[in-house]
Amino acid sequence: MARALELAESGLYVPTPNPRVGCVIVKDGQMVAEGVTQAAGHAHAEVMALRDLKQKGGSAEGATVYVSLEPCSHHGKTPPCTDALIHAKPARVVIAHVDPYPAVSGRGIAALRSAGIAVSVGVLAKEALEINPGFVSRMVRGKPYVWAKIAASMDRFTALPDGQSQWITGAEARADGHHWRARSCLVLTGIGTVKADNPLLNVRAIETHRQPRRAVIDPKLEIPDNAKLLQTEGLILFAANPDEGRVTQLTSKEAVVVNVPDQNNPDRVDMNAVMQWLAEYDINEVHVEAGAGINGALWRAGCIDELILYLAPTFLGHGLPMLDIPGIDQLSEADQLSFIDHDNVGQDIRIRARKFDRWQELVEHIESSNAQHAL
Amino acid sequence: MARALELAESGLYVPTPNPRVGCVIVKDGQMVAEGVTQAAGHAHAEVMALRDLKQKGGSAEGATVYVSLEPCSHHGKTPPCTDALIHAKPARVVIAHVDPYPAVSGRGIAALRSAGIAVSVGVLAKEALEINPGFVSRMVRGKPYVWAKIAASMDRFTALPDGQSQWITGAEARADGHHWRARSCLVLTGIGTVKADNPLLNVRAIETHRQPRRAVIDPKLEIPDNAKLLQTEGLILFAANPDEGRVTQLTSKEAVVVNVPDQNNPDRVDMNAVMQWLAEYDINEVHVEAGAGINGALWRAGCIDELILYLAPTFLGHGLPMLDIPGIDQLSEADQLSFIDHDNVGQDIRIRARKFDRWQELVEHIESSNAQHAL
């Protein structure tokens, strides 16, 4: 299963909106074939592994198949993997976790079992969840899994007061940041960042065959006509009761304008509505790269699952903060996160921290549906 | 040599003001004896290793002796280790680095060589420097090696605006902080911290046979008479032209008052003078545990070598900063540090960062004196 997870991870940038899945076929104690889920509309991991085996002249009959997610049982863009597996007649299928997609959850397992194939569920389930937090989140909560990327000095300023922020962190940290953009389905920023930096927010520092979609929180559609983002395909603009004429102008530039005003403040965007809209739009993972205002608004709205903080070995003394949130009165009121890892990235350190309760919700869902289908 | 360094490190809390040294004797490819430098006035590592060997009935004749610092050649509180080594007649002595103490630097090596013993210099020298940065700094620069311990939230606040700071970091981080207190020769704080928290600043969370001395930056000797620190032995108070009557009062309580006014601001303490005084007082390593004012003043005066930052997985939104330093205008003006390590400590992360140029000065000194005595 560890190898199946490695395979799933090798396709990290690829299959959105489908989950990343890896599959390994073992026969007589030997790994005889493996497969990775391809880009949306193409073959899933199980089919790839069976094809690999066939090409090598082998047969899966009596083999054990390890797959990092329950095989699909429905006709989507591709035929169901359970049919292919049943046809291949393995003795046993081992699954990391049950498919969180409500329409099929447990059905693949049931179909395999009816065909006389033994099925084990729950091997390295949490590790598998780490590979598809967005897919699971979208299925379980109707919202994407959201991380905010922040680069800051040791005294936690993201830029000097005048906005200078280039090269606070080094080239390796920027490339690493592009890895997170590449795995995401969508990069989200705010109109302040667009006006200040005119960024493209695409993946440049590393190779990928797929660019994430991009979106801007832009309540009054102030995006400048020369904004580079307007030249990218299918830019999404989240607005709050914007001017109709401006909507028409922007739509003609192929941007998508989504009106999601906050009920309590019609000049602001409702961040939860943004996330619901994105989930319906098949967005699994959102990479936020914005200023303190948007970071803070998302944090306050409970929309951020994870922080990816690049810490540079320097002090600025003053500057722009990481996120604007109201101060607390008692330490006991502080939001609890948990650090999940920290690594050297060139001269900088990357620290990842998760909102503990939000992650626990996904873990518990996976564990309870695994328990339900364990036998 | 790696084992000799391990031994040296095992005595991390012990021998101040002497350096921590480890010694291993190898004969016929076997480690036959080892020793660690004991508390000041007691035996050094080489003598301990020779004693160990003698007890086991062995002889060092023809052996190779690995020692993490050049053996001493002068009569201090103990007789010189070079004499003991010459008497024991090993074939070869391998040394991590030359003694930085100017009075003896290279003399031990010369004495061994005159006695016909082969000497190699420079094995794991940087690693050995990591174990005695304070001793080397005091010898080379006439100043201790200084680290500032800071515990902060992810948004870099060390306390809420009203000063609440207990339990921002967890029990493991506090115990780890006590490890750093224990290895230091002196814990330094400011009068603000004394007034706010009335701390003892001793080592409680871990075992040690030696408590560090404690010192307070207290320009006008405002320390309250009921301060717990006044009940500790030999508290040092750094003042700036204080009231003579108050000096007499405090001296009668066995505190040591040192008048080190800043030439440019007679109401403030000259931080560099503090450090010079401490080095003359045989202080190798200073552990700073203070507020943003003292941290900032030390930083601005160029007195901090290292930051030990405990990062708690939480956000406070507002509060007290880590260190008060003037803001820079250009990113290129920012002080450069380098991260040296980062570790999980309970729920928190400990990040160590060094002032790059200050460390390089020590490394270069060690490397150049090693080169000088290489043959």
Side-chain angles (χ1 to χ4, degrees), chain A residues 155-156 314 318 328 337 342, chain B residues 154 156 313 318 328 335 344:
Chain A
D155 47 356
R156 255 46 71 67
T314 187
H318 62 169
I328 55 171
L337 292 91
H342 41 96
Chain B
M154 284 190 76
R156 89 202 142 83
H318 62 169
I328 55 170
D335 280 316
N344 294 315

